[in-house]
Amino acid sequence: MNDSEEHITSPAIRASDAERDRVEAQLQHHYAVGRLTLPELEERVVAAYEARTREQLHALLRDLPSEVERPASPPHAIDSRLLIVLLCVSPPAALV
């Protein structure tokens, strides 16, 4: 049996509350960047919380890009200019 036949005959995988929440967050993101109108967002969010399987959840996102925009830089990165200023203002800070 090949993969496509196995996928068709295998039972649908049930969705969890956490998966529904993630889909809602993705839909909110797509609304915020202008890919969905408010009525579309509302309709899809209702459908997400009524979804019983992962396939039903995936169908709600199928026509939207899958990548989520990432911040330009990680929030924990230390700016090297800040370190230089600290060294000039308070040399003992360099020891820390």
Side-chain angles (χ1 to χ4, degrees):
M1 185 181 306
N2 65 31
D3 289 342
S4 62
E5 290 175 18
E6 188 174 302
H7 178 68
I8 292 171
T9 59
S10 65
I13 298 174
R14 302 283 291 199
S16 69
D17 288 339
E19 290 168 319
R20 290 182 194 92
D21 291 341
R22 279 193 296 273
V23 168
E24 180 192 7
Q26 290 175 341
L27 291 170
Q28 292 281 351
H29 167 77
H30 290 297
Y31 169 71
V33 297
R35 291 189 184 106
L36 295 173
T37 63
L38 184 58
E40 290 172 320
L41 171 68
E42 291 170 346
E43 179 182 324
R44 290 185 191 210
V45 168
V46 168
Y49 283 104
E50 291 176 348
R52 295 291 163 243
T53 66
R54 287 180 177 176
E55 180 56 35
Q56 290 171 320
L57 290 176
H58 292 300
L60 298 171
L61 300 170
R62 194 166 282 136
D63 64 336
L64 299 168
S66 61
E67 75 280 346
V68 176
E69 296 173 13
R70 298 179 188 257
S73 65
H76 63 277
I78 296 175
D79 190 351
S80 59
R81 293 172 292 186
L82 175 62
L83 292 176
I84 292 170
V85 170
L86 285 174
L87 288 173
C88 293
V89 173
S90 179
L95 299 175
V96 178

